[in-house]
Coordinates of all heavy atoms in Angstrom, one line a residue:
M1 N 39.9 50.6 -1.0 CA 40.9 49.8 -1.8 C 40.2 49.4 -3.1 O 39.1 48.8 -3.1 CB 41.3 48.6 -1.0 CG 42.1 47.6 -1.8 SD 42.7 46.3 -0.6 CE 43.6 45.4 -1.8
N2 N 40.7 49.7 -4.2 CA 40.2 49.4 -5.5 C 40.7 48.0 -5.9 O 41.8 47.7 -6.0 CB 40.6 50.4 -6.5 CG 40.0 50.2 -7.9 OD1 39.2 49.3 -8.1 ND2 40.2 51.2 -8.7
T3 N 39.7 47.1 -6.2 CA 40.1 45.7 -6.5 C 40.0 45.4 -8.0 O 40.2 44.3 -8.5 CB 39.2 44.7 -5.8 OG1 37.9 44.9 -6.1 CG2 39.4 44.8 -4.3
T4 N 39.7 46.5 -8.8 CA 39.6 46.2 -10.3 C 40.9 46.8 -10.9 O 41.4 47.9 -10.5 CB 38.4 46.9 -10.9 OG1 38.4 48.3 -10.6 CG2 37.1 46.3 -10.3
L5 N 41.3 46.2 -11.9 CA 42.5 46.6 -12.6 C 42.0 47.3 -13.9 O 41.3 46.7 -14.7 CB 43.4 45.5 -13.0 CG 44.1 44.8 -11.8 CD1 44.9 43.6 -12.3 CD2 45.0 45.7 -11.1
P6 N 42.3 48.6 -14.1 CA 41.8 49.2 -15.3 C 42.6 48.7 -16.5 O 43.8 48.5 -16.5 CB 42.2 50.7 -15.1 CG 43.3 50.7 -14.0 CD 43.1 49.4 -13.2
L7 N 41.8 48.4 -17.6 CA 42.4 47.9 -18.8 C 42.0 49.0 -19.9 O 40.9 49.5 -19.9 CB 41.8 46.6 -19.3 CG 42.1 45.4 -18.3 CD1 41.3 44.2 -18.8 CD2 43.6 45.1 -18.3
Q8 N 42.9 49.3 -20.8 CA 42.7 50.3 -21.8 C 41.5 49.9 -22.7 O 41.5 48.8 -23.2 CB 44.0 50.4 -22.6 CG 45.1 51.2 -22.0 CD 44.7 52.6 -21.8 OE1 43.8 53.2 -22.3 NE2 45.5 53.3 -20.9
G9 N 40.5 50.7 -22.8 CA 39.4 50.5 -23.7 C 38.4 49.4 -23.2 O 37.5 49.0 -23.9
A10 N 38.6 48.8 -22.0 CA 37.7 47.8 -21.6 C 36.7 48.3 -20.5 O 37.1 49.2 -19.7 CB 38.5 46.6 -21.0
E11 N 35.5 47.8 -20.5 CA 34.5 48.1 -19.5 C 34.8 47.3 -18.3 O 35.2 46.2 -18.4 CB 33.1 47.8 -20.0 CG 32.6 48.7 -21.1 CD 32.3 50.1 -20.7 OE1 31.8 50.3 -19.6 OE2 32.6 51.0 -21.5
P12 N 34.6 47.9 -17.1 CA 34.8 47.1 -15.9 C 33.8 45.9 -15.8 O 32.7 46.1 -16.3 CB 34.6 48.0 -14.7 CG 34.1 49.3 -15.3 CD 34.2 49.2 -16.8
L13 N 34.2 44.8 -15.3 CA 33.3 43.6 -15.2 C 32.2 43.9 -14.1 O 32.6 44.4 -13.0 CB 34.0 42.4 -14.9 CG 35.0 41.9 -15.9 CD1 35.7 40.7 -15.4 CD2 34.2 41.5 -17.2
A14 N 31.0 43.6 -14.4 CA 29.9 43.8 -13.4 C 29.9 42.5 -12.5 O 30.1 41.4 -13.0 CB 28.6 44.0 -14.1
L15 N 29.8 42.7 -11.2 CA 29.7 41.6 -10.3 C 28.3 41.0 -10.5 O 27.3 41.7 -10.6 CB 29.9 42.0 -8.9 CG 31.3 42.6 -8.6 CD1 31.3 43.1 -7.2 CD2 32.3 41.6 -8.8
A16 N 28.3 39.7 -10.4 CA 27.0 39.0 -10.5 C 26.2 39.3 -9.2 O 26.8 39.2 -8.1 CB 27.2 37.5 -10.6
R17 N 25.0 39.6 -9.3 CA 24.2 39.9 -8.1 C 23.4 38.7 -7.7 O 23.1 37.8 -8.5 CB 23.2 41.1 -8.3 CG 22.1 40.8 -9.2 CD 21.2 42.0 -9.3 NE 20.0 41.7 -10.1 CZ 18.9 41.1 -9.7 NH1 18.8 40.8 -8.4 NH2 17.9 40.8 -10.5
T18 N 23.2 38.6 -6.4 CA 22.5 37.5 -5.8 C 21.0 37.7 -6.0 O 20.5 38.8 -5.7 CB 22.8 37.3 -4.3 OG1 24.2 37.3 -4.1 CG2 22.1 36.1 -3.7
P19 N 20.3 36.7 -6.5 CA 18.8 36.9 -6.7 C 18.1 37.1 -5.4 O 18.5 36.6 -4.4 CB 18.3 35.6 -7.3 CG 19.5 34.7 -7.6 CD 20.7 35.4 -6.9
S20 N 17.1 38.0 -5.4 CA 16.3 38.3 -4.2 C 15.5 37.1 -3.8 O 15.3 36.2 -4.6 CB 15.4 39.5 -4.4 OG 14.4 39.1 -5.3
H21 N 15.0 37.1 -2.6 CA 14.1 36.0 -2.2 C 12.9 35.9 -3.1 O 12.4 34.8 -3.4 CB 13.7 36.3 -0.7 CG 12.7 35.3 -0.2 ND1 13.0 34.0 0.1 CD2 11.3 35.4 0.1 CE1 11.9 33.4 0.5 NE2 10.9 34.2 0.5
H22 N 12.3 37.1 -3.5 CA 11.2 37.1 -4.4 C 11.5 36.4 -5.7 O 10.7 35.6 -6.2 CB 10.7 38.5 -4.6 CG 9.6 38.7 -5.5 ND1 8.3 38.3 -5.1 CD2 9.5 39.1 -6.8 CE1 7.5 38.6 -6.2 NE2 8.2 39.0 -7.2
E23 N 12.6 36.7 -6.3 CA 13.0 36.1 -7.6 C 13.2 34.6 -7.4 O 12.8 33.9 -8.3 CB 14.3 36.8 -8.1 CG 14.1 38.2 -8.5 CD 15.4 38.9 -8.8 OE1 16.4 38.6 -8.1 OE2 15.4 39.8 -9.7
T24 N 13.8 34.2 -6.3 CA 14.0 32.8 -6.0 C 12.7 32.1 -5.9 O 12.5 31.0 -6.4 CB 14.9 32.6 -4.8 OG1 16.1 33.3 -5.0 CG2 15.2 31.2 -4.5
S25 N 11.8 32.7 -5.2 CA 10.5 32.1 -5.0 C 9.7 32.0 -6.3 O 9.1 30.9 -6.5 CB 9.6 32.9 -4.0 OG 10.2 32.9 -2.7
E26 N 9.8 33.0 -7.1 CA 9.1 32.9 -8.4 C 9.7 31.8 -9.3 O 8.9 31.1 -9.9 CB 9.3 34.3 -9.2 CG 8.3 35.3 -8.7 CD 8.5 36.6 -9.5 OE1 9.3 36.7 -10.4 OE2 7.7 37.5 -9.3
R27 N 11.0 31.7 -9.3 CA 11.6 30.6 -10.0 C 11.2 29.3 -9.5 O 10.9 28.3 -10.3 CB 13.2 30.8 -10.0 CG 13.9 29.8 -10.9 CD 15.4 30.2 -11.0 NE 16.0 29.3 -11.9 CZ 16.6 28.1 -11.5 NH1 16.5 27.7 -10.3 NH2 17.1 27.3 -12.4
A28 N 11.2 29.1 -8.2 CA 10.8 27.9 -7.6 C 9.4 27.5 -7.9 O 9.1 26.3 -8.2 CB 11.0 27.9 -6.1
M29 N 8.5 28.5 -7.9 CA 7.1 28.2 -8.3 C 7.0 27.8 -9.7 O 6.2 26.9 -10.1 CB 6.2 29.4 -8.0 CG 6.0 29.7 -6.5 SD 5.2 28.3 -5.6 CE 6.6 27.7 -4.7
R30 N 7.7 28.5 -10.6 CA 7.7 28.1 -12.0 C 8.2 26.7 -12.2 O 7.6 25.9 -13.0 CB 8.6 29.1 -12.8 CG 8.3 29.1 -14.3 CD 9.1 30.2 -15.0 NE 9.1 31.5 -14.3 CZ 10.1 32.1 -13.8 NH1 11.3 31.6 -13.8 NH2 9.9 33.3 -13.2
I31 N 9.2 26.3 -11.5 CA 9.8 24.9 -11.7 C 8.8 23.9 -11.1 O 8.5 22.9 -11.7 CB 11.1 24.8 -10.9 CG1 12.2 25.6 -11.6 CG2 11.5 23.4 -10.7 CD1 13.5 25.8 -10.9
L32 N 8.2 24.2 -10.0 CA 7.2 23.4 -9.4 C 6.0 23.2 -10.3 O 5.5 22.1 -10.5 CB 6.7 23.9 -8.0 CG 5.6 23.1 -7.3 CD1 6.0 21.7 -7.0 CD2 5.2 23.8 -6.0
A33 N 5.5 24.3 -10.9 CA 4.3 24.2 -11.8 C 4.6 23.3 -13.0 O 3.8 22.5 -13.4 CB 3.9 25.6 -12.2
K34 N 5.8 23.6 -13.6 CA 6.2 22.8 -14.8 C 6.3 21.3 -14.4 O 5.9 20.4 -15.2 CB 7.5 23.3 -15.4 CG 7.3 24.6 -16.1 CD 8.7 25.0 -16.7 CE 8.5 26.4 -17.4 NZ 9.8 26.8 -18.0
S35 N 6.9 21.0 -13.3 CA 7.0 19.6 -12.8 C 5.7 19.0 -12.6 O 5.5 17.8 -13.0 CB 7.8 19.6 -11.5 OG 8.0 18.3 -11.0
L36 N 4.8 19.7 -11.9 CA 3.4 19.1 -11.7 C 2.7 18.8 -13.0 O 2.1 17.8 -13.2 CB 2.6 20.1 -10.9 CG 2.9 20.2 -9.4 CD1 2.2 21.3 -8.7 CD2 2.6 18.9 -8.7
V37 N 2.8 19.8 -14.0 CA 2.1 19.6 -15.3 C 2.7 18.4 -16.0 O 2.0 17.5 -16.4 CB 2.2 20.9 -16.1 CG1 1.8 20.6 -17.6 CG2 1.4 22.0 -15.6
R38 N 4.0 18.3 -16.0 CA 4.7 17.1 -16.7 C 4.3 15.8 -16.0 O 4.0 14.8 -16.7 CB 6.2 17.3 -16.6 CG 6.7 18.0 -17.8 CD 8.2 17.9 -17.9 NE 8.7 19.3 -17.8 CZ 9.5 19.8 -16.9 NH1 9.9 19.1 -15.9 NH2 9.9 21.1 -16.9
N39 N 4.3 15.8 -14.7 CA 3.9 14.6 -13.9 C 2.5 14.2 -14.2 O 2.2 13.0 -14.5 CB 4.1 14.9 -12.4 CG 3.9 13.7 -11.6 OD1 2.9 13.0 -11.7 ND2 4.9 13.4 -10.7
L40 N 1.5 15.1 -14.2 CA 0.1 14.8 -14.4 C -0.1 14.4 -15.9 O -0.8 13.4 -16.1 CB -0.8 16.0 -14.1 CG -0.9 16.3 -12.6 CD1 -1.6 17.6 -12.3 CD2 -1.6 15.2 -11.8
Q41 N 0.6 15.0 -16.8 CA 0.5 14.6 -18.2 C 1.0 13.2 -18.4 O 0.5 12.4 -19.1 CB 1.2 15.6 -19.1 CG 0.4 16.9 -19.3 CD 1.2 17.9 -20.2 OE1 2.4 18.0 -20.1 NE2 0.4 18.6 -21.0
S42 N 2.1 12.9 -17.7 CA 2.7 11.5 -17.9 C 1.8 10.5 -17.3 O 1.9 9.3 -17.6 CB 4.1 11.5 -17.2 OG 4.0 11.5 -15.8
Q43 N 0.9 10.9 -16.4 CA -0.1 10.0 -15.8 C -1.4 9.9 -16.6 O -2.3 9.2 -16.2 CB -0.4 10.4 -14.4 CG 0.8 10.2 -13.4 CD 0.4 10.6 -12.0 OE1 -0.7 10.3 -11.6 NE2 1.4 11.2 -11.3
G44 N -1.4 10.6 -17.8 CA -2.5 10.5 -18.7 C -3.5 11.6 -18.6 O -4.6 11.6 -19.3
Y45 N -3.3 12.6 -17.8 CA -4.3 13.8 -17.7 C -4.1 14.7 -18.9 O -3.0 15.0 -19.3 CB -4.0 14.6 -16.4 CG -4.5 13.8 -15.2 CD1 -3.5 13.1 -14.5 CD2 -5.8 13.9 -14.7 CE1 -3.9 12.4 -13.3 CE2 -6.1 13.2 -13.6 CZ -5.2 12.4 -12.9 OH -5.6 11.8 -11.8
E46 N -5.2 15.0 -19.5 CA -5.2 15.9 -20.7 C -5.2 17.4 -20.3 O -5.5 17.7 -19.1 CB -6.5 15.6 -21.5 CG -6.4 14.2 -22.1 CD -7.7 13.9 -22.9 OE1 -8.6 14.7 -23.1 OE2 -7.8 12.7 -23.4
V47 N -4.9 18.2 -21.2 CA -4.8 19.6 -21.0 C -6.1 20.2 -20.4 O -6.1 21.0 -19.5 CB -4.3 20.4 -22.3 CG1 -4.4 21.9 -22.1 CG2 -2.9 20.0 -22.7
A48 N -7.2 19.8 -21.0 CA -8.5 20.3 -20.5 C -8.7 20.0 -19.0 O -9.2 20.8 -18.3 CB -9.7 19.7 -21.3
I49 N -8.3 18.8 -18.6 CA -8.4 18.5 -17.2 C -7.5 19.3 -16.3 O -7.8 19.8 -15.2 CB -8.1 17.0 -17.0 CG1 -9.1 16.1 -17.7 CG2 -8.1 16.6 -15.5 CD1 -10.6 16.3 -17.3
L50 N -6.3 19.5 -16.8 CA -5.3 20.4 -16.1 C -5.9 21.8 -15.9 O -5.7 22.4 -14.9 CB -4.0 20.4 -16.8 CG -3.2 19.0 -16.9 CD1 -1.9 19.2 -17.6 CD2 -3.0 18.5 -15.5
L51 N -6.5 22.3 -17.0 CA -7.0 23.7 -16.9 C -8.2 23.7 -15.9 O -8.3 24.7 -15.1 CB -7.5 24.1 -18.3 CG -6.4 24.5 -19.3 CD1 -7.0 24.8 -20.6 CD2 -5.6 25.7 -18.8
S52 N -9.0 22.7 -15.9 CA -10.0 22.6 -14.9 C -9.5 22.6 -13.5 O -10.0 23.2 -12.6 CB -10.8 21.3 -15.1 OG -12.2 21.5 -14.9
L53 N -8.4 21.8 -13.2 CA -7.8 21.7 -11.9 C -7.2 23.1 -11.5 O -7.4 23.5 -10.4 CB -6.6 20.7 -12.0 CG -5.7 20.7 -10.8 CD1 -6.5 20.3 -9.5 CD2 -4.6 19.7 -11.0
I54 N -6.6 23.7 -12.5 CA -6.0 25.1 -12.2 C -7.1 26.1 -11.8 O -7.0 26.8 -10.9 CB -5.2 25.6 -13.4 CG1 -3.9 24.7 -13.6 CG2 -4.8 27.0 -13.3 CD1 -3.3 24.8 -14.9
T55 N -8.2 26.0 -12.5 CA -9.3 26.9 -12.2 C -9.9 26.6 -10.8 O -10.1 27.6 -10.1 CB -10.5 26.7 -13.3 OG1 -9.9 27.0 -14.6 CG2 -11.7 27.6 -13.0
E56 N -10.0 25.4 -10.5 CA -10.5 25.0 -9.1 C -9.5 25.5 -8.0 O -9.9 26.0 -7.0 CB -10.7 23.5 -9.0 CG -11.9 23.1 -9.8 CD -13.2 23.7 -9.5 OE1 -13.4 24.0 -8.2 OE2 -14.0 24.0 -10.4
L57 N -8.2 25.4 -8.3 CA -7.2 25.8 -7.4 C -7.2 27.3 -7.2 O -7.2 27.8 -6.0 CB -5.8 25.4 -7.8 CG -5.4 23.9 -7.7 CD1 -4.1 23.7 -8.4 CD2 -5.3 23.5 -6.3
I58 N -7.4 28.1 -8.2 CA -7.5 29.5 -8.2 C -8.7 29.9 -7.4 O -8.7 30.8 -6.5 CB -7.5 30.2 -9.6 CG1 -6.1 30.0 -10.2 CG2 -7.9 31.6 -9.5 CD1 -6.1 30.4 -11.7
E59 N -9.8 29.2 -7.6 CA -11.1 29.5 -6.9 C -10.9 29.2 -5.4 O -11.3 30.0 -4.6 CB -12.2 28.6 -7.5 CG -13.5 28.8 -6.8 CD -14.2 30.1 -7.1 OE1 -13.9 30.7 -8.1 OE2 -15.1 30.5 -6.3
A60 N -10.3 28.1 -5.1 CA -10.1 27.7 -3.7 C -9.2 28.7 -2.9 O -9.5 29.2 -1.8 CB -9.5 26.3 -3.5
V61 N -8.1 29.2 -3.6 CA -7.2 30.1 -3.0 C -8.0 31.5 -2.9 O -7.8 32.2 -1.8 CB -5.9 30.3 -3.8 CG1 -5.1 31.5 -3.3 CG2 -5.1 29.0 -3.7
T62 N -8.7 31.9 -3.8 CA -9.5 33.1 -3.8 C -10.4 33.1 -2.6 O -10.5 34.1 -1.9 CB -10.2 33.4 -5.1 OG1 -9.3 33.4 -6.2 CG2 -11.0 34.7 -5.1
V63 N -11.2 32.1 -2.4 CA -12.1 32.0 -1.3 C -11.4 32.1 0.0 O -11.8 32.8 0.9 CB -12.9 30.6 -1.4 CG1 -13.7 30.4 -0.1 CG2 -13.9 30.7 -2.6
E64 N -10.2 31.4 0.1 CA -9.4 31.4 1.4 C -8.9 32.8 1.6 O -8.9 33.3 2.8 CB -8.3 30.4 1.3 CG -8.7 29.0 1.5 CD -9.5 28.7 2.7 OE1 -9.1 29.2 3.8 OE2 -10.5 28.1 2.6
M65 N -8.5 33.5 0.6 CA -8.0 34.9 0.8 C -9.2 35.8 1.2 O -9.0 36.7 2.1 CB -7.4 35.4 -0.5 CG -6.1 34.8 -0.9 SD -5.4 35.2 -2.5 CE -5.3 37.0 -2.3
Q66 N -10.3 35.6 0.6 CA -11.5 36.4 1.0 C -11.9 36.2 2.5 O -12.2 37.1 3.2 CB -12.7 36.2 0.1 CG -12.4 36.7 -1.3 CD -13.4 36.3 -2.3 OE1 -14.1 35.2 -2.2 NE2 -13.6 37.0 -3.4
R67 N -11.8 34.9 2.9 CA -12.1 34.6 4.3 C -11.1 35.2 5.2 O -11.5 35.7 6.3 CB -12.1 33.1 4.5 CG -13.4 32.4 3.9 CD -13.4 31.0 4.3 NE -14.5 30.3 3.6 CZ -14.5 29.1 3.1 NH1 -13.5 28.3 3.3 NH2 -15.6 28.6 2.5
A68 N -9.8 35.2 4.8 CA -8.8 35.7 5.7 C -8.9 37.2 5.8 O -8.5 37.8 6.9 CB -7.4 35.3 5.1
T69 N -9.4 37.9 4.8 CA -9.6 39.4 4.9 C -10.9 39.8 5.4 O -11.2 41.0 5.4 CB -9.3 40.0 3.5 OG1 -10.2 39.5 2.6 CG2 -7.9 39.7 3.1
G70 N -11.8 38.8 5.7 CA -13.1 39.1 6.2 C -14.1 39.5 5.1 O -15.2 39.9 5.4
R71 N -13.8 39.3 3.9 CA -14.7 39.5 2.8 C -15.5 38.3 2.5 O -15.0 37.2 2.7 CB -14.0 39.9 1.5 CG -13.2 41.2 1.6 CD -12.5 41.5 0.3 NE -11.6 42.6 0.5 CZ -10.6 42.8 -0.3 NH1 -10.3 42.0 -1.3 NH2 -9.8 43.9 -0.1
S72 N -16.8 38.5 2.1 CA -17.6 37.3 1.8 C -17.2 36.9 0.4 O -17.0 37.7 -0.5 CB -19.1 37.7 1.9 OG -19.4 38.7 1.0
P73 N -17.1 35.6 0.2 CA -16.7 35.1 -1.2 C -17.7 35.5 -2.2 O -18.9 35.5 -2.0 CB -16.8 33.6 -1.0 CG -16.6 33.3 0.5 CD -17.3 34.5 1.1
Q74 N -17.2 36.0 -3.3 CA -18.0 36.4 -4.5 C -18.2 35.3 -5.5 O -17.3 34.5 -5.6 CB -17.3 37.6 -5.2 CG -17.1 38.8 -4.2 CD -18.4 39.4 -3.7 OE1 -19.3 39.6 -4.5 NE2 -18.4 39.7 -2.4
P75 N -19.3 35.3 -6.1 CA -19.5 34.2 -7.2 C -18.5 34.5 -8.3 O -18.2 35.6 -8.6 CB -20.9 34.5 -7.7 CG -21.5 35.5 -6.9 CD -20.5 36.1 -6.0
S76 N -17.9 33.4 -8.7 CA -16.9 33.5 -9.8 C -17.5 33.3 -11.1 O -18.6 32.9 -11.3 CB -15.7 32.6 -9.5 OG -16.2 31.3 -9.8
G77 N -16.6 33.4 -12.1 CA -17.1 33.2 -13.5 C -16.8 31.7 -13.9 O -16.8 31.4 -15.1
S78 N -16.5 30.9 -12.9 CA -16.2 29.5 -13.2 C -17.4 28.8 -13.7 O -18.5 29.1 -13.4 CB -15.6 28.8 -12.0 OG -16.6 28.6 -11.1
P79 N -17.2 27.7 -14.5 CA -18.4 27.0 -15.1 C -19.3 26.5 -14.0 O -20.5 26.5 -14.1 CB -17.8 25.9 -15.9 CG -16.4 26.3 -16.2 CD -16.0 27.3 -15.1
R80 N -18.7 26.1 -12.8 CA -19.5 25.5 -11.7 C -20.4 26.6 -11.2 O -21.6 26.4 -10.8 CB -18.6 24.9 -10.6 CG -19.5 24.2 -9.6 CD -18.8 23.7 -8.5 NE -17.8 22.7 -8.9 CZ -16.9 22.3 -8.0 NH1 -16.8 22.7 -6.8 NH2 -16.0 21.4 -8.4
A81 N -19.9 27.8 -11.0 CA -20.7 28.9 -10.5 C -21.8 29.3 -11.5 O -22.9 29.6 -11.1 CB -19.8 30.2 -10.3
A82 N -21.6 29.2 -12.8 CA -22.6 29.5 -13.8 C -23.6 28.4 -13.9 O -24.8 28.6 -14.2 CB -21.9 29.8 -15.1
H83 N -23.2 27.2 -13.6 CA -24.0 26.0 -13.8 C -23.8 25.1 -12.5 O -23.2 24.1 -12.6 CB -23.7 25.2 -15.0 CG -23.8 26.0 -16.3 ND1 -25.0 26.4 -16.8 CD2 -22.9 26.6 -17.1 CE1 -24.8 27.1 -17.9 NE2 -23.5 27.3 -18.0
P84 N -24.4 25.5 -11.4 CA -24.1 24.7 -10.1 C -24.5 23.3 -10.2 O -24.0 22.5 -9.4 CB -24.8 25.5 -9.0 CG -25.7 26.5 -9.7 CD -25.2 26.6 -11.2
H85 N -25.5 22.9 -11.0 CA -25.9 21.5 -11.1 C -25.0 20.6 -11.9 O -25.1 19.5 -11.8 CB -27.4 21.5 -11.6 CG -27.5 22.0 -13.0 ND1 -27.5 23.4 -13.3 CD2 -27.5 21.4 -14.2 CE1 -27.5 23.6 -14.6 NE2 -27.6 22.4 -15.2
K86 N -24.1 21.2 -12.7 CA -23.1 20.4 -13.5 C -21.9 20.2 -12.7 O -21.4 21.1 -12.0 CB -22.8 21.2 -14.8 CG -24.0 21.2 -15.7 CD -23.5 21.8 -17.0 CE -24.6 21.9 -18.0 NZ -24.2 22.5 -19.3
R87 N -21.3 19.0 -12.8 CA -20.0 18.7 -12.1 C -19.2 18.0 -13.1 O -19.4 17.2 -13.8 CB -20.3 17.9 -10.9 CG -20.8 18.7 -9.8 CD -20.3 18.2 -8.5 NE -20.6 19.3 -7.6 CZ -19.9 19.6 -6.6 NH1 -18.9 18.9 -6.3 NH2 -20.2 20.5 -5.8

């Protein structure tokens, strides 16, 4: 059964597609990230501190992923790895 009515010279309307789970997750993570940044900035955290936090989060997740796959953690290029005595 055809549910579209042909109109002279008009293109058929495309149906809106439902976003995939992956697209929804990406959007949710983008919203969460922006919300966290805004929240931390409103509490007085500067961009340099936020970047430091992000670097530490990436490092922590990387180490966890390496442990989960049985790989030994590799030294990173983070400032702490380059200068372990500095904090």
Side-chain angles (χ1 to χ4, degrees):
M1 175 177 181
N2 186 356
T3 58
T4 60
L5 296 174
L7 298 175
Q8 287 292 344
E11 293 289 323
L13 294 175
L15 297 176
R17 72 178 180 86
T18 305
S20 70
H21 175 70
H22 178 74
E23 290 169 326
T24 304
S25 294
E26 281 184 357
R27 184 171 184 271
M29 289 301 108
R30 197 174 314 114
I31 291 168
L32 177 60
K34 287 179 181 183
S35 177
L36 286 171
V37 168
R38 272 190 239 117
N39 188 307
L40 291 169
Q41 284 178 324
S42 73
Q43 293 181 37
Y45 290 93
E46 295 178 2
V47 173
I49 298 297
L50 295 177
L51 288 172
S52 217
L53 170 63
I54 292 164
T55 301
E56 292 300 323
L57 287 170
I58 291 170
E59 180 70 22
V61 170
T62 301
V63 167
E64 287 303 314
M65 288 174 62
Q66 290 170 336
R67 284 185 186 146
T69 60
R71 297 180 186 157
S72 60
Q74 301 295 315
S76 72
S78 71
R80 187 183 302 169
H83 305 285
H85 60 283
K86 291 186 179 180
R87 286 213 165 211

